């Protein structure tokens, strides 16, 4: 087996350049060079090696992909892709948040429990946002589907646990995602 083949095989299992370096004894920079030369996309694995927020994000992304298997996961093509998924020409970004409890609101008064979703990086490029609102045990509590037009002036969307918010109108069931995105394919 050539060095390039060894790099490809190890990287396909680990999805981490430093782990490949440790396993096969080739510096990660050289591993990277072999992979790029072989036209292998270096994407990483944020579920295993990402930050705490990356590990929360991947929960929603995995659940969305299970619910909408026709969606193309752009993170498989490019590490930390700007838009998470595509269905035909439609771009979909997934945001995932755990409920925040015991935090301060205005004037340092206790704020009500809520989910916060930051959309500023994808605001001008995503056609739809899918929000996964997780409970304290990372179970899906709510799912929201928002078209870009309703969030054009926002960079962060905060949804209270009470659901006393205009954003509650965009709550959907996970089972509605696939039929909706399939219908979008027939419209175009």
């Amino acid at each position: 087996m050539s060095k390039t083949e060894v790099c490809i095989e190890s990287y396909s299992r680990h999805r981490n350049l430093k782990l490949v370096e440790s396993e096969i004894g080739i510096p990660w920079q050289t591993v990277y060079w072999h992979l790029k030369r072989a036209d292998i996309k270096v994407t990483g694995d944020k579920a295993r090696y990402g930050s705490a927020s990356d590990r929360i994000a991947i929960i929603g992304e995995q659940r969305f992909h299970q619910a909408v298997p026709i969606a193309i996961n752009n993170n498989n093509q490019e590490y930390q892709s700007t838009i998470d998924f595509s269905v035909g020409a439609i771009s979909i970004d997934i945001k995932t948040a755990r409920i925040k409890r015991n935090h301060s609101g205005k004037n340092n008064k206790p704020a009500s429990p809520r989910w916060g979703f930051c959309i500023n990086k994808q605001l001008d490029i995503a056609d739809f946002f899918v929000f996964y609102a997780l409970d304290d045990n990372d179970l899906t509590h709510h799912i929201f589907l928002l078209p870009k037009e309703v969030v054009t002036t926002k960079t962060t969307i905060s949804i209270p646990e009470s659901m006393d918010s205009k954003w509650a109108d965009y709550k959907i069931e996970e089972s509605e995602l696939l039929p909706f995105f399939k219908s979008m394919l027939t419209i175009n």
Side-chain angles (χ1 to χ4, degrees), residues 129-181:
F129 292 92
V130 176
F131 295 167
Y132 277 82
L134 305 181
D135 66 13
D136 297 319
N137 297 312
D138 291 341
L139 299 175
T140 303
H141 198 70
H142 298 295
I143 299 172
F144 303 89
L145 174 65
L146 294 95
K148 70 178 177 183
E149 290 80 3
V150 301
V151 296
T152 55
T153 61
K154 304 291 181 188
T155 56
T156 303
I157 294 178
S158 181
I159 303 174
E161 183 179 38
S162 67
M163 295 293 285
D164 185 21
S165 165
K166 67 180 179 182
W167 305 117
D169 292 346
Y170 299 95
K171 180 180 181 267
I172 63 165
E173 296 300 319
E174 193 169 50
S175 61
E176 296 176 83
L177 289 170
L178 181 59
F180 173 74
F181 286 111

Side-chain angles (χ1 to χ4, degrees), residues 64-82:
F64 177 81
H65 201 239
Q66 285 178 333
V68 186
I70 63 170
I72 294 170
N73 187 341
N74 296 322
N75 291 308
N76 290 340
Q77 310 301 317
E78 174 185 355
Y79 184 69
Q80 298 287 38
S81 176
T82 307

Side-chain angles (χ1 to χ4, degrees), residues 6-175:
V6 170
C7 291
I8 292 169
E9 192 280 325
S10 181
Y11 185 75
S12 71
R13 286 184 288 108
H14 294 295
R15 292 298 205 217
N16 181 286
L17 295 171
K18 292 295 279 179
L19 292 178
V20 173
E21 173 185 41
S22 294
E23 180 179 271
I24 65 175
I26 297 174
W28 72 263
Q29 302 91 324
T30 306
V31 170
Y32 175 81
W33 179 81
H34 280 286
L35 294 173
K36 293 305 278 184
R37 194 175 77 180
D39 203 27
I40 302 296
K41 295 196 182 300
V42 178
T43 58
D45 185 344
K46 66 183 179 183
R48 288 191 281 181
Y49 310 112
S51 66
S53 62
D54 285 339
R55 288 191 295 277
I56 292 171
I58 197 75
I59 294 170
E61 292 168 13
Q62 289 172 341
R63 290 179 188 170
F64 177 81
H65 201 239
Q66 285 178 333
V68 186
I70 63 170
I72 294 170
N73 187 341
N74 296 322
N75 291 308
N76 290 340
Q77 310 301 317
E78 174 185 355
Y79 184 69
Q80 298 287 38
S81 176
T82 307
I83 295 294
D84 293 317
F85 289 90
S86 300
V87 174
I90 300 162
S91 58
I92 306 139
D93 206 60
I94 311 303
K95 298 296 179 188
T96 310
R98 281 190 187 124
I99 192 154
K100 270 190 178 175
R101 301 185 189 279
N102 305 322
H103 63 284
S104 296
K106 293 180 182 173
N107 302 325
N108 286 331
K109 292 183 179 180
S112 63
R114 62 187 56 250
W115 294 277
F117 303 93
C118 181
I119 61 169
N120 64 332
K121 291 180 184 174
Q122 295 79 16
L123 192 56
D124 296 328
I125 46 181
D127 295 312
F128 290 95
F129 292 92
V130 176
F131 295 167
Y132 277 82
L134 305 181
D135 66 13
D136 297 319
N137 297 312
D138 291 341
L139 299 175
T140 303
H141 198 70
H142 298 295
I143 299 172
F144 303 89
L145 174 65
L146 294 95
K148 70 178 177 183
E149 290 80 3
V150 301
V151 296
T152 55
T153 61
K154 304 291 181 188
T155 56
T156 303
I157 294 178
S158 181
I159 303 174
E161 183 179 38
S162 67
M163 295 293 285
D164 185 21
S165 165
K166 67 180 179 182
W167 305 117
D169 292 346
Y170 299 95
K171 180 180 181 267
I172 63 165
E173 296 300 319
E174 193 169 50
S175 61

